[in-house]
Amino acid sequence: MPILGHNIVRIEVEKVQSGSGKVEVSINPKIEELRLGELQLPTGRVKGIEVIVNYIINYSPEIAKASVRLLVFYVPRVKEDIDKILDEWEEKKQLPGELVAEVVNFTTSELMPLMMMISKEMRIPYPIPLPRVVVRQE
């Protein structure tokens, strides 16, 4: 796996108003910045890319606001790609699809259990829908 670690830098959740009825929730991850990074492991130092990701969770109607900022340490499968990825980001703000998929999938899976717990404590809708059992009448 090309992701060696992550840190949650900031979590902000604010309950704006109480509401009832249908609430729609959208999760918008955005990669904000890439920079060269280095991680100290027992086997030595590893060079990679520090990816800063910001998740914005929108509620409609606006009953709450949430944002989470994470730092992810990403190591491409081919180490020579580090400079190429960083140069492309600096010039065009474009990222390889593999990096985006790995980072967003990893951070979503790490972040959602925490956001579920915070949502429960604040009495706001969960950011992802829970499966529900419906009894059909025939």
Side-chain angles (χ1 to χ4, degrees), residues 11-19 23-27 56-59 63-68 111-130:
I11 298 176
E12 292 181 15
V13 181
E14 178 184 3
K15 189 174 183 178
V16 179
Q17 67 183 15
S18 295
V23 176
E24 293 183 19
V25 182
S26 65
I27 302 170
I56 305 290
I57 301 171
N58 295 313
Y59 292 85
I63 60 169
K65 297 177 186 177
S67 72
V68 181
L111 183 63
M112 281 309 118
L114 176 64
M115 291 309 295
M116 297 284 281
M117 184 187 73
I118 291 171
S119 298
K120 181 180 178 186
E121 292 297 319
M122 294 187 70
R123 308 284 191 261
I124 58 177
Y126 294 129
I128 56 174
L130 293 176

Side-chain angles (χ1 to χ4, degrees), residues 10-133:
R10 178 188 50 157
I11 298 176
E12 292 181 15
V13 181
E14 178 184 3
K15 189 174 183 178
V16 179
Q17 67 183 15
S18 295
S20 61
K22 185 175 180 175
V23 176
E24 293 183 19
V25 182
S26 65
I27 302 170
N28 302 310
K30 181 181 179 192
I31 295 177
E32 292 187 338
E33 185 180 340
L34 264 64
R35 60 183 179 223
L36 184 62
E38 192 172 82
L39 190 62
Q40 181 67 38
L41 297 176
T43 57
R45 293 178 185 231
V46 175
K47 288 190 178 187
I49 300 171
E50 291 181 349
V51 182
I52 297 175
V53 184
N54 193 28
Y55 275 78
I56 305 290
I57 301 171
N58 295 313
Y59 292 85
S60 179
E62 190 175 295
I63 60 169
K65 297 177 186 177
S67 72
V68 181
R69 189 176 174 98
L70 300 109
L71 178 69
V72 177
F73 190 78
Y74 176 83
V75 179
R77 296 188 198 290
V78 179
K79 298 210 182 218
E80 291 76 29
D81 286 349
I82 292 173
D83 291 332
K84 184 175 117 180
I85 292 169
L86 291 171
D87 289 343
E88 192 171 319
W89 173 256
E90 286 295 321
E91 292 172 12
K92 303 176 189 173
K93 298 290 185 202
Q94 290 182 337
L95 297 170
E98 182 179 309
L99 181 145
V100 174
E102 288 282 344
V103 168
V104 171
N105 290 336
F106 176 82
T107 54
T108 301
S109 66
E110 290 292 319
L111 183 63
M112 281 309 118
L114 176 64
M115 291 309 295
M116 297 284 281
M117 184 187 73
I118 291 171
S119 298
K120 181 180 178 186
E121 292 297 319
M122 294 187 70
R123 308 284 191 261
I124 58 177
Y126 294 129
I128 56 174
L130 293 176
R132 300 222 180 254
V133 175

